[in-house]
Amino acid sequence: MQKKQNKKQGRQGEKLTALLPCLIALASGILMGLTVAPVGAWFLAWIALVPLWVLVVTSAKRKNQSPPAPSSPPAPPALFWGIGYHGVALSWITGIHPMTWLGVPWLPSLAITLFCWGFISLLGGVFVAIWAAVMVRLNGQKPWLRVLIGTALWCGLESLWSAGPLWWSSLAYTQSPHNLVIVHLGQLSGPNTVTAGIVAVNGLIAEGWTNRRDAEGAERTSVSSAPLRFVNKYWVSATGLLITLHLIGFILYSRPIAQLPEAALKVGIVQGNIPNRLLRSSEGFRRAQENYTSGYITLANQGVDAVLTPEGALPIFQRNLMETALVAAVKEKGVVAWIGAFGERRDSYTISLFTFNSKSEIVSRYDKSKLVPLGEYIPFEGILGGIIQRLSPLEAHQVPGSTNQIFDTPFGRAIASICYESAFPEQFRRQAAAGGQFILSSSNDAHYTASMPFQHHAQDIMRAIETDRWSARATNTGYSGFIDPHGRTLWISGYNTYETHAETIYRRQTQTLYVRWGDWLTPLLLISSGGAWLLIQLSHTRKISD
C-alpha cells in the first residue's frame, strides 16, 4: 500500500515538474502583458523575457547531456509565454461583446469574442514557439552568438507578422508612451530597433543567469579548496547596453524642434461621441450631423486653419456628403475640413477621409488600406460570412485602399492614417518619404474598452517619433490628441465625452534614418548572425578534419 502511494506521489511530482516550466513561462508572459495599458508597467519589458530564455537554454543543455536529463520541450513554455503576453495585452478585444446591437445574439456574440481573443493570443504564442524551437538548436554555441541570433530571429518574426493583416503588440510598443527616450531609437530603423534592444538586454541577463549557475556548479564540484572567482560579464554587458541605448535615445530626444512661423498650422479636432450602436439608426446620423457641425462652427470661430473629424464621422457615402449640414457649414465658414465618411468603388465601398477646401469642394481622398479582420472584412467569407456580421453600419462589401496613396491638402502633403493603420509603421514611413509633412490620424475605437484607445494613442506616439512629424488624432469617443515629434502629448481628450480642441502643429520636411532607409537593422542582424554562425560551423568542421 505504501509503495502504491509513493508511486502515485512520484507521478504527481513528475507531472508538476513537467508543468512548472509552462507556468513560469505563462507568468513571465503575463508580466510582459502588464507593460501596456491599462497597467503600463513598461520597465518589466526589460526582464520579462528572461525566464523563457533561461528555460529554452537549460532545456537544450539537459537534452544534450549524456545520458539526457528529463526536460520539457521548449515549444510548450514558449507557447504559454506568447499566450500570456498577447492575451493580456490584447484583452481589450473582449470589449466588442455583446454585439446585440448588430443583431448577434448574446451567446454567439460571446463565442465570437472569445474566438477572436483566443485566436490572436494563440497566434502570438505560435510565433514565440517558432523562436524557441530555433533557439534550442543553438545549444553548444557561444552565449553571445545566441543573443545575436535570438535578437535577429525575434525581429525577423515580428517583421513577418506585421506584414500580415493581424498585427498590434510589438515588443517595442511596451515602452510607449512612458519611456519616450528609448522609443526615439525608432528614428534609426523603426520599432524593431526598440524590440532588438529589449530582446538583447533580456538575452544577456538570461545568459548571465545560466552562466552563473554553471559557475556555481563548477565551484561545488571543484577539488580545489579555493573558491572560483566569477565575474558576470553578461550582466555587465546587459547594464552597459541598457545605458547606451538610453543615452542614444536621450540624444535624439534632446534635439530641438524647429517651429518656423510660416510652417504653423492651427488644427481643430471634433470628438463627436456617437456610440457605435446608434450608427445604423436615423437618430445616430442626426446626432452625428449635429455634433460635428456645431463642433466645426465652434472651431472655425476660434480661427483654426482646418478641422479634423474621426473615422466614419458621417456614416454615409461620398455622393450624399454635399447634402449635409456639415458641408454647408464648410461652404459658409470657408475653413478646410477633413471629414470621415464612406467612399465608393464600383459595387463596394471604402472607409475614407475627404479633404474639403474653403469652397466646400473635395480636393483629395484617402482610403483605409489596412482593414480589421472580422470588424471590417470577413476572412474566408464564403465559410464564415453567414455566421459573423461586420462591425459596420453598411451592408455593402468593404474593400481596402491601395498601399501607395498620397494625400495632398491645401496646406501641403499629409501623412494620413485611419484607425488600425496606426499599428503599421511602414504606412507612415512611406508617406513621410513621399513628402508628408504632418500626420492626420482619424479613428473610431468605440467598440472596445478604454485600454484600447490608450494603446492606440501609444501607437500614434511611436509613429510621430519615427517620422519626426507633428500629429493630430481625432477619434469618435476618445482618446483624441495632439502629439509633437518627440512623442510628447500636447493635449489628450477625455473618454466617452464630446469635445472640441485646437492646437498649433508645424509642417516638417525632415527625414529620419528610418524614413530614408526603412528597417535596415533587421536584415543586418539576420545577415550578421547567420554569417557568424556559418563561420563558427566552418571552423568546427576544419578542426574535425584536421
Side-chain angles (χ1 to χ4, degrees), residues 32 43-55 57-58 61 143-144 146-148 151 196-214 230 232-243 245-246:
M32 186 66 83
F43 48 87
L44 292 176
W46 300 95
I47 58 172
L49 187 57
V50 171
L52 176 62
W53 195 298
V54 171
L55 288 171
V57 171
T58 54
K61 287 182 178 180
W144 65 265
R146 273 201 301 266
V147 172
L148 179 60
T151 302
I198 292 172
V199 176
V201 169
N202 275 272
L204 288 169
I205 295 173
E207 293 293 346
W209 175 266
T210 56
N211 276 267
R212 182 180 179 83
R213 290 176 62 184
D214 292 344
F230 177 73
N232 201 318
K233 57 185 178 181
Y234 300 104
W235 288 355
V236 173
S237 299
T239 304
L241 178 60
L242 184 63
I243 294 173
L245 292 175
H246 279 80

Short mmCIF file of all heavy atoms in Angstrom, two decimals, residues 32 43-55 57-58 61 143-144 146-148 151 196-214 230 232-243 245-246:
data_model
loop_
_atom_site.label_atom_id
_atom_site.label_comp_id
_atom_site.label_asym_id
_atom_site.label_seq_id
_atom_site.Cartn_x
_atom_site.Cartn_y
_atom_site.Cartn_z
N MET A 32 4.97 40.60 -19.14
CA MET A 32 5.20 41.41 -20.34
C MET A 32 3.90 42.08 -20.78
O MET A 32 3.91 43.23 -21.24
CB MET A 32 5.76 40.54 -21.47
CG MET A 32 6.16 41.32 -22.71
SD MET A 32 7.57 42.43 -22.45
CE MET A 32 8.95 41.29 -22.64
N PHE A 43 8.72 49.09 -17.50
CA PHE A 43 10.05 48.64 -17.08
C PHE A 43 10.15 47.12 -17.02
O PHE A 43 11.24 46.55 -17.13
CB PHE A 43 10.39 49.23 -15.71
CG PHE A 43 9.30 49.09 -14.70
CD1 PHE A 43 9.19 47.95 -13.91
CD2 PHE A 43 8.34 50.08 -14.54
CE1 PHE A 43 8.17 47.80 -12.99
CE2 PHE A 43 7.31 49.95 -13.61
CZ PHE A 43 7.23 48.80 -12.83
N LEU A 44 9.00 46.42 -16.88
CA LEU A 44 9.02 44.96 -16.83
C LEU A 44 9.47 44.34 -18.15
O LEU A 44 9.92 43.20 -18.17
CB LEU A 44 7.63 44.44 -16.47
CG LEU A 44 7.12 44.72 -15.06
CD1 LEU A 44 5.68 44.21 -14.90
CD2 LEU A 44 8.03 44.08 -14.02
N ALA A 45 9.36 45.10 -19.25
CA ALA A 45 9.74 44.55 -20.55
C ALA A 45 11.22 44.18 -20.59
O ALA A 45 11.62 43.30 -21.36
CB ALA A 45 9.45 45.58 -21.65
N TRP A 46 12.05 44.82 -19.75
CA TRP A 46 13.49 44.58 -19.79
C TRP A 46 13.90 43.34 -19.02
O TRP A 46 15.09 42.97 -19.04
CB TRP A 46 14.22 45.82 -19.27
CG TRP A 46 13.92 47.03 -20.09
CD1 TRP A 46 12.97 47.98 -19.85
CD2 TRP A 46 14.53 47.40 -21.33
NE1 TRP A 46 12.96 48.93 -20.85
CE2 TRP A 46 13.92 48.60 -21.77
CE3 TRP A 46 15.55 46.84 -22.11
CZ2 TRP A 46 14.28 49.24 -22.95
CZ3 TRP A 46 15.92 47.48 -23.29
CH2 TRP A 46 15.29 48.65 -23.70
N ILE A 47 12.95 42.66 -18.36
CA ILE A 47 13.28 41.43 -17.64
C ILE A 47 12.27 40.31 -17.89
O ILE A 47 12.52 39.16 -17.54
CB ILE A 47 13.38 41.67 -16.11
CG1 ILE A 47 12.06 42.24 -15.58
CG2 ILE A 47 14.55 42.59 -15.78
CD1 ILE A 47 11.99 42.35 -14.06
N ALA A 48 11.12 40.62 -18.49
CA ALA A 48 10.03 39.64 -18.58
C ALA A 48 10.31 38.51 -19.55
O ALA A 48 9.63 37.47 -19.51
CB ALA A 48 8.73 40.34 -18.97
N LEU A 49 11.29 38.67 -20.43
CA LEU A 49 11.64 37.60 -21.36
C LEU A 49 12.72 36.68 -20.79
O LEU A 49 12.97 35.60 -21.32
CB LEU A 49 12.11 38.21 -22.70
CG LEU A 49 12.39 37.27 -23.86
CD1 LEU A 49 11.16 36.43 -24.21
CD2 LEU A 49 12.85 38.06 -25.09
N VAL A 50 13.34 37.10 -19.70
CA VAL A 50 14.46 36.34 -19.11
C VAL A 50 14.05 34.92 -18.73
O VAL A 50 14.77 33.96 -19.09
CB VAL A 50 15.04 37.09 -17.90
CG1 VAL A 50 16.05 36.21 -17.16
CG2 VAL A 50 15.70 38.39 -18.35
N PRO A 51 12.95 34.70 -17.99
CA PRO A 51 12.60 33.32 -17.61
C PRO A 51 12.44 32.39 -18.81
O PRO A 51 12.90 31.24 -18.75
CB PRO A 51 11.27 33.49 -16.86
CG PRO A 51 11.32 34.89 -16.33
CD PRO A 51 12.01 35.68 -17.40
N LEU A 52 11.80 32.84 -19.87
CA LEU A 52 11.63 31.99 -21.04
C LEU A 52 12.98 31.68 -21.67
O LEU A 52 13.25 30.53 -22.06
CB LEU A 52 10.72 32.67 -22.07
CG LEU A 52 10.55 31.91 -23.39
CD1 LEU A 52 9.89 30.55 -23.15
CD2 LEU A 52 9.73 32.72 -24.39
N TRP A 53 13.86 32.67 -21.78
CA TRP A 53 15.19 32.46 -22.37
C TRP A 53 15.97 31.42 -21.56
O TRP A 53 16.59 30.51 -22.12
CB TRP A 53 15.95 33.79 -22.40
CG TRP A 53 17.16 33.80 -23.28
CD1 TRP A 53 18.29 33.02 -23.15
CD2 TRP A 53 17.38 34.61 -24.44
NE1 TRP A 53 19.19 33.31 -24.14
CE2 TRP A 53 18.66 34.28 -24.94
CE3 TRP A 53 16.64 35.60 -25.07
CZ2 TRP A 53 19.20 34.91 -26.06
CZ3 TRP A 53 17.18 36.23 -26.19
CH2 TRP A 53 18.44 35.88 -26.68
N VAL A 54 15.91 31.52 -20.22
CA VAL A 54 16.60 30.56 -19.36
C VAL A 54 16.02 29.17 -19.55
O VAL A 54 16.76 28.17 -19.64
CB VAL A 54 16.50 31.00 -17.88
CG1 VAL A 54 17.03 29.90 -16.96
CG2 VAL A 54 17.27 32.29 -17.65
N LEU A 55 14.70 29.07 -19.63
CA LEU A 55 14.06 27.77 -19.84
C LEU A 55 14.50 27.13 -21.15
O LEU A 55 14.76 25.92 -21.21
CB LEU A 55 12.54 27.92 -19.81
CG LEU A 55 11.88 28.19 -18.46
CD1 LEU A 55 10.41 28.54 -18.65
CD2 LEU A 55 12.03 26.98 -17.54
N VAL A 57 17.31 27.70 -22.89
CA VAL A 57 18.74 27.34 -22.85
C VAL A 57 18.96 26.10 -21.98
O VAL A 57 19.67 25.17 -22.37
CB VAL A 57 19.58 28.52 -22.34
CG1 VAL A 57 21.02 28.09 -22.10
CG2 VAL A 57 19.55 29.66 -23.34
N THR A 58 18.36 26.07 -20.79
CA THR A 58 18.55 24.93 -19.90
C THR A 58 17.91 23.67 -20.46
O THR A 58 18.43 22.56 -20.28
CB THR A 58 17.97 25.23 -18.51
OG1 THR A 58 16.59 25.63 -18.64
CG2 THR A 58 18.74 26.34 -17.82
N LYS A 61 20.38 22.27 -22.87
CA LYS A 61 21.54 21.67 -22.19
C LYS A 61 21.20 20.31 -21.61
O LYS A 61 21.99 19.36 -21.72
CB LYS A 61 22.03 22.62 -21.09
CG LYS A 61 22.75 23.85 -21.61
CD LYS A 61 23.25 24.72 -20.47
CE LYS A 61 24.01 25.94 -21.02
NZ LYS A 61 24.51 26.80 -19.93
N PRO A 143 27.42 31.97 -25.95
CA PRO A 143 26.26 32.76 -25.48
C PRO A 143 26.06 34.05 -26.27
O PRO A 143 24.92 34.43 -26.54
CB PRO A 143 26.61 33.03 -24.01
CG PRO A 143 27.47 31.88 -23.61
CD PRO A 143 28.27 31.56 -24.83
N TRP A 144 27.16 34.73 -26.64
CA TRP A 144 26.99 35.98 -27.38
C TRP A 144 26.34 35.73 -28.74
O TRP A 144 25.57 36.56 -29.23
CB TRP A 144 28.33 36.70 -27.56
CG TRP A 144 29.34 35.97 -28.42
CD1 TRP A 144 30.34 35.15 -28.01
CD2 TRP A 144 29.41 36.00 -29.85
NE1 TRP A 144 31.04 34.65 -29.07
CE2 TRP A 144 30.50 35.16 -30.22
CE3 TRP A 144 28.68 36.64 -30.85
CZ2 TRP A 144 30.86 34.96 -31.55
CZ3 TRP A 144 29.04 36.43 -32.17
CH2 TRP A 144 30.12 35.60 -32.51
N ARG A 146 24.20 33.26 -29.30
CA ARG A 146 22.78 33.00 -29.02
C ARG A 146 22.01 34.31 -28.87
O ARG A 146 20.89 34.43 -29.35
CB ARG A 146 22.63 32.16 -27.76
CG ARG A 146 22.69 30.66 -27.98
CD ARG A 146 22.05 29.90 -26.83
NE ARG A 146 22.68 30.18 -25.56
CZ ARG A 146 23.65 29.46 -25.02
NH1 ARG A 146 24.12 28.42 -25.67
NH2 ARG A 146 24.14 29.78 -23.85
N VAL A 147 22.62 35.27 -28.20
CA VAL A 147 21.96 36.57 -28.03
C VAL A 147 21.77 37.25 -29.37
O VAL A 147 20.70 37.79 -29.67
CB VAL A 147 22.77 37.47 -27.07
CG1 VAL A 147 22.18 38.88 -27.03
CG2 VAL A 147 22.79 36.87 -25.67
N LEU A 148 22.80 37.22 -30.21
CA LEU A 148 22.72 37.86 -31.53
C LEU A 148 21.66 37.19 -32.40
O LEU A 148 20.80 37.87 -32.99
CB LEU A 148 24.08 37.80 -32.22
CG LEU A 148 24.15 38.42 -33.63
CD1 LEU A 148 23.79 39.89 -33.60
CD2 LEU A 148 25.55 38.21 -34.23
N THR A 151 18.06 37.73 -30.98
CA THR A 151 17.57 39.08 -31.26
C THR A 151 17.16 39.22 -32.72
O THR A 151 16.08 39.75 -33.04
CB THR A 151 18.66 40.12 -30.92
OG1 THR A 151 19.03 39.98 -29.54
CG2 THR A 151 18.15 41.53 -31.18
N ALA A 196 14.74 45.08 -30.74
CA ALA A 196 16.06 44.46 -30.68
C ALA A 196 16.75 44.76 -29.35
O ALA A 196 17.37 43.88 -28.74
CB ALA A 196 16.92 44.94 -31.85
N GLY A 197 16.64 46.01 -28.90
CA GLY A 197 17.25 46.38 -27.63
C GLY A 197 16.65 45.60 -26.47
O GLY A 197 17.37 45.11 -25.59
N ILE A 198 15.32 45.46 -26.45
CA ILE A 198 14.65 44.74 -25.36
C ILE A 198 15.06 43.28 -25.36
O ILE A 198 15.38 42.71 -24.30
CB ILE A 198 13.12 44.88 -25.51
CG1 ILE A 198 12.69 46.33 -25.26
CG2 ILE A 198 12.39 43.94 -24.56
CD1 ILE A 198 11.23 46.61 -25.58
N VAL A 199 15.06 42.64 -26.52
CA VAL A 199 15.41 41.22 -26.60
C VAL A 199 16.87 41.00 -26.22
O VAL A 199 17.20 40.07 -25.47
CB VAL A 199 15.13 40.66 -28.01
CG1 VAL A 199 15.59 39.21 -28.12
CG2 VAL A 199 13.65 40.76 -28.35
N ALA A 200 17.77 41.85 -26.70
CA ALA A 200 19.19 41.69 -26.42
C ALA A 200 19.49 41.84 -24.93
O ALA A 200 20.26 41.06 -24.36
CB ALA A 200 20.00 42.70 -27.23
N VAL A 201 18.89 42.83 -24.28
CA VAL A 201 19.11 43.02 -22.84
C VAL A 201 18.57 41.82 -22.06
O VAL A 201 19.25 41.29 -21.16
CB VAL A 201 18.45 44.33 -22.35
CG1 VAL A 201 18.43 44.40 -20.83
CG2 VAL A 201 19.19 45.54 -22.92
N ASN A 202 17.37 41.36 -22.40
CA ASN A 202 16.83 40.17 -21.75
C ASN A 202 17.73 38.96 -21.97
O ASN A 202 17.96 38.17 -21.05
CB ASN A 202 15.43 39.88 -22.28
CG ASN A 202 14.33 40.65 -21.57
OD1 ASN A 202 13.79 40.20 -20.55
ND2 ASN A 202 14.00 41.82 -22.09
N GLY A 203 18.23 38.81 -23.20
CA GLY A 203 19.10 37.68 -23.51
C GLY A 203 20.39 37.70 -22.72
O GLY A 203 20.84 36.66 -22.21
N LEU A 204 21.00 38.86 -22.59
CA LEU A 204 22.24 38.96 -21.82
C LEU A 204 22.02 38.67 -20.34
O LEU A 204 22.85 38.00 -19.70
CB LEU A 204 22.84 40.36 -22.01
CG LEU A 204 23.46 40.65 -23.38
CD1 LEU A 204 23.76 42.13 -23.53
CD2 LEU A 204 24.72 39.82 -23.59
N ILE A 205 20.90 39.16 -19.79
CA ILE A 205 20.59 38.85 -18.39
C ILE A 205 20.39 37.35 -18.21
O ILE A 205 20.89 36.74 -17.25
CB ILE A 205 19.34 39.62 -17.94
CG1 ILE A 205 19.60 41.13 -17.94
CG2 ILE A 205 18.91 39.17 -16.55
CD1 ILE A 205 18.36 41.97 -17.67
N ALA A 206 19.68 36.73 -19.15
CA ALA A 206 19.42 35.29 -19.06
C ALA A 206 20.71 34.48 -19.20
O ALA A 206 20.93 33.52 -18.46
CB ALA A 206 18.43 34.88 -20.15
N GLU A 207 21.57 34.87 -20.14
CA GLU A 207 22.83 34.16 -20.30
C GLU A 207 23.71 34.33 -19.07
O GLU A 207 24.43 33.41 -18.66
CB GLU A 207 23.57 34.67 -21.55
CG GLU A 207 22.88 34.35 -22.86
CD GLU A 207 22.86 32.87 -23.18
OE1 GLU A 207 23.59 32.08 -22.53
OE2 GLU A 207 22.09 32.46 -24.08
N GLY A 208 23.65 35.50 -18.45
CA GLY A 208 24.38 35.71 -17.21
C GLY A 208 23.88 34.81 -16.10
O GLY A 208 24.66 34.27 -15.30
N TRP A 209 22.55 34.63 -16.05
CA TRP A 209 21.96 33.76 -15.04
C TRP A 209 22.40 32.31 -15.22
O TRP A 209 22.82 31.65 -14.27
CB TRP A 209 20.44 33.86 -15.11
CG TRP A 209 19.73 32.91 -14.19
CD1 TRP A 209 19.25 31.67 -14.48
CD2 TRP A 209 19.42 33.13 -12.80
NE1 TRP A 209 18.66 31.09 -13.38
CE2 TRP A 209 18.76 31.98 -12.33
CE3 TRP A 209 19.65 34.18 -11.92
CZ2 TRP A 209 18.31 31.86 -11.02
CZ3 TRP A 209 19.20 34.06 -10.61
CH2 TRP A 209 18.54 32.92 -10.18
N THR A 210 22.32 31.80 -16.45
CA THR A 210 22.69 30.40 -16.69
C THR A 210 24.19 30.18 -16.48
O THR A 210 24.61 29.15 -15.96
CB THR A 210 22.30 29.98 -18.12
OG1 THR A 210 22.90 30.88 -19.06
CG2 THR A 210 20.80 30.02 -18.30
N ASN A 211 25.01 31.16 -16.88
CA ASN A 211 26.46 31.02 -16.68
C ASN A 211 26.83 31.10 -15.21
O ASN A 211 27.78 30.46 -14.77
CB ASN A 211 27.20 32.08 -17.48
CG ASN A 211 27.41 31.68 -18.92
OD1 ASN A 211 28.43 31.11 -19.28
ND2 ASN A 211 26.40 31.95 -19.75
N ARG A 212 26.09 31.89 -14.44
CA ARG A 212 26.34 31.96 -13.00
C ARG A 212 26.03 30.61 -12.36
O ARG A 212 26.79 30.12 -11.51
CB ARG A 212 25.50 33.05 -12.38
CG ARG A 212 25.73 33.22 -10.87
CD ARG A 212 24.87 34.33 -10.30
NE ARG A 212 25.07 34.47 -8.88
CZ ARG A 212 26.06 35.15 -8.30
NH1 ARG A 212 26.94 35.76 -9.06
NH2 ARG A 212 26.17 35.22 -6.99
N ARG A 213 24.92 30.01 -12.75
CA ARG A 213 24.57 28.69 -12.21
C ARG A 213 25.62 27.66 -12.59
O ARG A 213 25.99 26.80 -11.79
CB ARG A 213 23.19 28.27 -12.73
CG ARG A 213 22.05 29.09 -12.14
CD ARG A 213 20.73 28.70 -12.75
NE ARG A 213 20.40 27.31 -12.49
CZ ARG A 213 19.33 26.70 -12.97
NH1 ARG A 213 18.50 27.37 -13.78
NH2 ARG A 213 19.07 25.44 -12.68
N ASP A 214 26.11 27.72 -13.84
CA ASP A 214 27.15 26.78 -14.25
C ASP A 214 28.42 26.98 -13.44
O ASP A 214 29.11 26.01 -13.06
CB ASP A 214 27.46 26.96 -15.74
CG ASP A 214 26.30 26.51 -16.62
OD1 ASP A 214 25.41 25.80 -16.12
OD2 ASP A 214 26.29 26.90 -17.81
N PHE A 230 34.14 34.54 -10.08
CA PHE A 230 33.25 34.64 -11.24
C PHE A 230 32.78 36.08 -11.40
O PHE A 230 32.15 36.63 -10.50
CB PHE A 230 32.04 33.72 -11.06
CG PHE A 230 31.03 33.82 -12.17
CD1 PHE A 230 31.30 33.30 -13.41
CD2 PHE A 230 29.81 34.46 -11.96
CE1 PHE A 230 30.37 33.39 -14.44
CE2 PHE A 230 28.88 34.56 -12.97
CZ PHE A 230 29.18 34.02 -14.22
N ASN A 232 30.39 38.26 -13.67
CA ASN A 232 29.29 38.05 -14.61
C ASN A 232 29.35 39.10 -15.71
O ASN A 232 28.72 40.15 -15.63
CB ASN A 232 27.95 38.11 -13.88
CG ASN A 232 26.87 37.39 -14.66
OD1 ASN A 232 26.79 37.53 -15.88
ND2 ASN A 232 26.04 36.62 -13.98
N LYS A 233 30.13 38.77 -16.73
CA LYS A 233 30.33 39.72 -17.83
C LYS A 233 29.04 39.96 -18.61
O LYS A 233 28.88 41.00 -19.24
CB LYS A 233 31.41 39.22 -18.76
CG LYS A 233 31.16 37.84 -19.35
CD LYS A 233 32.35 37.37 -20.18
CE LYS A 233 32.11 35.97 -20.74
NZ LYS A 233 33.27 35.49 -21.52
N TYR A 234 28.12 39.00 -18.56
CA TYR A 234 26.87 39.17 -19.31
C TYR A 234 25.97 40.20 -18.64
O TYR A 234 25.32 41.00 -19.32
CB TYR A 234 26.16 37.81 -19.44
CG TYR A 234 27.00 36.81 -20.18
CD1 TYR A 234 27.66 35.80 -19.48
CD2 TYR A 234 27.17 36.88 -21.56
CE1 TYR A 234 28.45 34.87 -20.15
CE2 TYR A 234 27.97 35.97 -22.23
CZ TYR A 234 28.61 34.97 -21.52
OH TYR A 234 29.41 34.07 -22.18
N TRP A 235 25.92 40.18 -17.32
CA TRP A 235 25.14 41.19 -16.61
C TRP A 235 25.76 42.57 -16.77
O TRP A 235 25.05 43.57 -16.89
CB TRP A 235 25.03 40.81 -15.13
CG TRP A 235 24.10 39.64 -14.91
CD1 TRP A 235 23.34 39.01 -15.87
CD2 TRP A 235 23.85 38.98 -13.68
NE1 TRP A 235 22.63 37.98 -15.31
CE2 TRP A 235 22.92 37.93 -13.96
CE3 TRP A 235 24.32 39.11 -12.39
CZ2 TRP A 235 22.46 37.06 -12.97
CZ3 TRP A 235 23.86 38.26 -11.40
CH2 TRP A 235 22.93 37.25 -11.68
N VAL A 236 27.09 42.60 -16.77
CA VAL A 236 27.77 43.89 -17.01
C VAL A 236 27.43 44.39 -18.42
O VAL A 236 27.15 45.57 -18.63
CB VAL A 236 29.29 43.73 -16.84
CG1 VAL A 236 30.02 45.01 -17.27
CG2 VAL A 236 29.63 43.39 -15.40
N SER A 237 27.44 43.46 -19.39
CA SER A 237 27.12 43.84 -20.78
C SER A 237 25.67 44.30 -20.90
O SER A 237 25.37 45.26 -21.62
CB SER A 237 27.37 42.66 -21.72
OG SER A 237 28.73 42.28 -21.69
N ALA A 238 24.76 43.60 -20.21
CA ALA A 238 23.34 43.99 -20.25
C ALA A 238 23.15 45.39 -19.68
O ALA A 238 22.42 46.21 -20.26
CB ALA A 238 22.50 42.99 -19.46
N THR A 239 23.82 45.67 -18.57
CA THR A 239 23.72 47.01 -17.97
C THR A 239 24.29 48.07 -18.90
O THR A 239 23.70 49.13 -19.11
CB THR A 239 24.46 47.04 -16.62
OG1 THR A 239 23.93 46.02 -15.76
CG2 THR A 239 24.30 48.40 -15.95
N GLY A 240 25.46 47.76 -19.48
CA GLY A 240 26.09 48.70 -20.40
C GLY A 240 25.24 48.95 -21.63
O GLY A 240 25.11 50.10 -22.08
N LEU A 241 24.63 47.88 -22.17
CA LEU A 241 23.78 48.04 -23.35
C LEU A 241 22.55 48.86 -23.02
O LEU A 241 22.15 49.75 -23.80
CB LEU A 241 23.38 46.67 -23.88
CG LEU A 241 22.44 46.66 -25.10
CD1 LEU A 241 23.09 47.36 -26.29
CD2 LEU A 241 22.06 45.23 -25.48
N LEU A 242 21.93 48.59 -21.87
CA LEU A 242 20.73 49.33 -21.47
C LEU A 242 21.03 50.82 -21.32
O LEU A 242 20.27 51.67 -21.80
CB LEU A 242 20.19 48.77 -20.15
CG LEU A 242 18.88 49.36 -19.64
CD1 LEU A 242 17.73 49.08 -20.60
CD2 LEU A 242 18.55 48.79 -18.25
N ILE A 243 22.15 51.13 -20.69
CA ILE A 243 22.53 52.54 -20.51
C ILE A 243 22.85 53.18 -21.85
O ILE A 243 22.42 54.32 -22.13
CB ILE A 243 23.73 52.64 -19.55
CG1 ILE A 243 23.32 52.20 -18.13
CG2 ILE A 243 24.28 54.07 -19.52
CD1 ILE A 243 24.48 52.10 -17.16
N LEU A 245 21.81 52.38 -24.89
CA LEU A 245 20.59 52.59 -25.69
C LEU A 245 19.81 53.81 -25.21
O LEU A 245 19.32 54.60 -26.03
CB LEU A 245 19.70 51.34 -25.61
CG LEU A 245 20.22 50.08 -26.28
CD1 LEU A 245 19.29 48.90 -26.01
CD2 LEU A 245 20.39 50.28 -27.78
N HIS A 246 19.73 53.98 -23.90
CA HIS A 246 19.02 55.14 -23.37
C HIS A 246 19.79 56.44 -23.62
O HIS A 246 19.17 57.49 -23.82
CB HIS A 246 18.73 54.96 -21.88
CG HIS A 246 17.53 54.10 -21.61
ND1 HIS A 246 17.57 52.73 -21.66
CD2 HIS A 246 16.25 54.42 -21.30
CE1 HIS A 246 16.37 52.24 -21.38
NE2 HIS A 246 15.54 53.26 -21.16
#
